Amino acid sequence: MNTESQIGTPGEPVDGGWIPESPAPLRDQADRLLWTEAGPRERTGAGRRPIHVFFVAGIGTWQAGNMFGRAMEDLCARYRTAGIERVSTADLYPYGTMDEVPKEKARSYLYKQVWEVGKDLYKRYDRTRGGQAVHRAVAESCPREEGADLVLIGHSGGGVAAYNAALLLADDGYPLPWVVQVGSPYRPVRRSWRSRVFHLRQAGRIGDWVTWSGWPFLRRFARAVDVPILGGHPFYFSDQPKDGDGRSNLIKVMDQIWMWIGPGDAAEALHPEDGGEPSFGKQIGRG
């Protein structure tokens, strides 16, 4: 289930990638997000530590489809633009993939995956299948002694697994990971983790129905941002279609993720026309 991307492997610098489109200046929203009960939040890359990013898939996913490939390239390019080279990415499939499932068994296998995610929503984090699988994969590839920044970006049920794994990693003595849940079912988030967990969901009155399949009455516990994506739940990381301004779902989602996890000087690198660091970049504690 632990499949390293072609962008890089944990502990190795990244060379490939492409320069993303400049993100839209959503700074008022970012200013609200960056301040927590504990004060200003530290972002990844402080002290130029290595950064390992794991994209965690949910259910009904084909590894051969390379769902996260463009997102990995985008994120690595943003870090390079910010002057940070020690970045690696990997994709994980804690609930399995559809690649080797016979067509006649696909539906029953999908139901099994749905059942596993559903159980993980209500189990203790240290008893969840998805959390344990992601925890093992991260621990095997990232030595705790390295002290690297860890980022877990989970789509759909993968966001549930990512948060549960983050708790397990913290129990093991790892630095607290950043967790980004994209279109994930709502799950209660500990108060002490609210500055580390970020929830993205489709904009709209109903939005993404998957996000309502968990604990929707507790959604206030997650720091959530609505993103106006096209096509619905499977297409958060798609570079097609594009809206009237030529912006894809991928860019909209990665812009928001970058505002949450990017280093304090990243915004300046991506907005050089402003002649200085935007307001949300000035408020970050970097040490």
Side-chain angles (χ1 to χ4, degrees), residues 4-49:
E4 293 174 354
S5 74
Q6 295 180 351
I7 306 304
T9 55
E12 296 180 1
V14 176
D15 296 318
W18 57 286
I19 300 300
E21 302 169 29
S22 295
L26 304 176
R27 296 169 191 170
D28 292 341
Q29 193 171 43
D31 285 340
R32 291 196 297 271
L33 289 171
L34 295 180
W35 288 87
T36 69
E37 295 88 345
R41 213 174 26 76
E42 180 187 355
R43 287 185 168 188
T44 57
R48 295 301 188 248
R49 293 186 295 267

Side-chain angles (χ1 to χ4, degrees), residues 35 47 80 97 143 148 172 217 250:
W35 288 87
R80 285 200 308 276
T97 72
D172 284 351
F217 56 91
L250 171 69

Side-chain angles (χ1 to χ4, degrees), residues 29 32 61 86 106 124 129 134 146 152 157 172 179 191 194-195 198 242 257 271:
Q29 193 171 43
R32 291 196 297 271
T61 306
R86 300 178 65 190
R124 274 179 52 94
R129 171 182 171 174
V134 173
E146 184 183 27
L152 307 178
D172 284 351
V179 178
R191 181 178 296 274
R194 293 179 198 172
S195 64
F198 183 41
K242 296 184 178 180
I257 291 176
H271 292 281

Side-chain angles (χ1 to χ4, degrees), residues 41-174:
R41 213 174 26 76
E42 180 187 355
R43 287 185 168 188
T44 57
R48 295 301 188 248
R49 293 186 295 267
I51 303 169
H52 302 318
V53 184
F54 295 87
F55 286 79
V56 187
I59 67 173
T61 306
W62 281 262
Q63 185 176 347
N66 196 25
M67 174 183 179
F68 299 119
R70 295 285 285 178
M72 291 177 176
E73 293 172 356
D74 179 287
L75 189 58
C76 290
R78 293 176 191 248
Y79 274 117
R80 285 200 308 276
T81 302
I84 299 176
E85 296 288 342
R86 300 178 65 190
V87 180
S88 71
T89 61
D91 51 352
L92 305 175
Y93 300 83
Y95 300 104
T97 72
M98 304 295 289
D99 296 78
E100 304 299 329
V101 179
K103 184 176 181 179
E104 63 274 12
K105 295 183 179 180
R107 179 169 298 191
S108 61
Y109 187 77
L110 183 62
Y111 288 158
K112 179 182 177 181
Q113 289 182 312
V114 171
W115 177 248
E116 291 293 343
V117 173
K119 290 192 296 183
D120 283 359
L121 276 168
Y122 297 95
K123 283 184 177 180
R124 274 179 52 94
Y125 68 94
D126 55 352
R127 298 177 182 175
T128 59
R129 171 182 171 174
Q132 290 176 345
V134 173
H135 168 252
R136 285 194 301 269
V138 174
E140 288 172 1
S141 57
C142 302
R144 180 180 57 193
E145 296 76 15
E146 184 183 27
D149 287 338
L150 300 177
V151 181
L152 307 178
I153 301 174
H155 172 252
S156 192
V160 177
Y163 175 62
N164 289 330
L167 295 175
L168 288 168
L169 290 164
D171 286 350
D172 284 351
Y174 280 85

